[in-house]
Amino acid sequence: EKELLGLYLSQHPLFAIHPIVSPFVMQCRDIRGFSDGRTVKICGIVSTMKKITTKKNEQMLFVKVEDMSDSIEVIVFPNLLEETSALWKADTILAIEGRISQKDNDAKIICSRVKEVTDALLAHLAKQMPPVSSAQPVMAHVGAESSEDAAESFEDPVIVYD
């Protein structure tokens, strides 16, 4: 429906996981006000990608990633793209870490780490959340996970902002 109408009529794909990931990541709309070079983590869905070939004949990506607040361009340089090429697919939900680049009055993220958001990663993050009164924990199914250890590879998910 997003491709056809330009917006989601039903729930946004991140709606179910938002309560779990939001304590650990920033919203895209909030990144625009931060200074150049600051490290941030976001969680979003890949909406568009543009692959280019560099002067050194290497592939790199310009990826539009959106969360429930906004979208932002993520730049994936060749060395990281070579290691993570299987993750960069349309409609994939990713946890992305990188530094802000404020060129031309437009914030972008230069990606340094990326992890697909899977059930194992969500379970890992849910365990780190502070207890909530008597409410039941919120869990969402986003896809099969091949290894329970996969959650550990996006280590230290808590971000401290000054």
Side-chain angles (χ1 to χ4, degrees):
E1 65 194 56
K2 168 80 174 184
E3 285 180 33
L4 191 59
L5 301 172
L7 58 105
Y8 296 103
L9 289 178
S10 58
Q11 280 185 346
H12 191 284
L14 300 176
F15 181 80
I17 67 169
H18 182 74
I20 297 169
V21 299
S22 63
F24 305 104
V25 298
M26 297 195 67
Q27 296 286 307
C28 289
R29 74 167 171 245
D30 298 331
I31 290 173
R32 303 203 190 303
F34 286 130
S35 60
D36 199 47
R38 184 172 187 160
T39 299
V40 294
K41 291 182 183 181
I42 63 168
C43 178
I45 187 166
V46 174
S47 58
T48 61
M49 293 182 297
K50 179 181 177 186
K51 187 181 279 191
I52 65 159
T53 303
T54 67
K55 291 178 184 177
K56 293 182 179 181
N57 204 29
E58 298 174 309
Q59 300 290 309
M60 67 180 284
L61 288 178
F62 294 88
V63 183
K64 183 177 176 185
V65 175
E66 68 178 60
D67 63 15
M68 291 176 49
S69 72
D70 203 350
S71 64
I72 194 162
E73 185 174 63
V74 175
I75 301 169
V76 186
F77 283 111
N79 55 346
L80 183 63
L81 179 58
E82 189 175 311
E83 298 169 16
T84 63
S85 61
L87 298 177
W88 301 101
K89 300 177 288 210
D91 300 323
T92 303
I93 299 173
L94 300 175
I96 296 168
E97 180 177 346
R99 63 182 165 78
I100 298 171
S101 174
Q102 289 279 8
K103 293 199 169 129
D104 304 323
N105 259 353
D106 189 24
K108 296 172 177 40
I109 297 176
I110 311 247
C111 186
S112 57
R113 293 195 326 170
V114 62
K115 174 86 179 116
E116 185 171 7
V117 177
T118 61
D119 288 341
L121 180 59
L122 290 171
H124 177 72
L125 294 176
K127 288 178 193 172
Q128 295 186 27
M129 293 178 68
V132 181
S133 62
S134 62
Q136 294 296 317
V138 178
M139 288 302 295
H141 179 76
V142 292
E145 177 62 52
S146 60
S147 167
E148 289 299 313
D149 295 338
E152 300 300 323
S153 65
F154 201 73
E155 68 240 11
D156 190 28
V158 179
I159 309 168
V160 177
Y161 298 102
D162 31 47

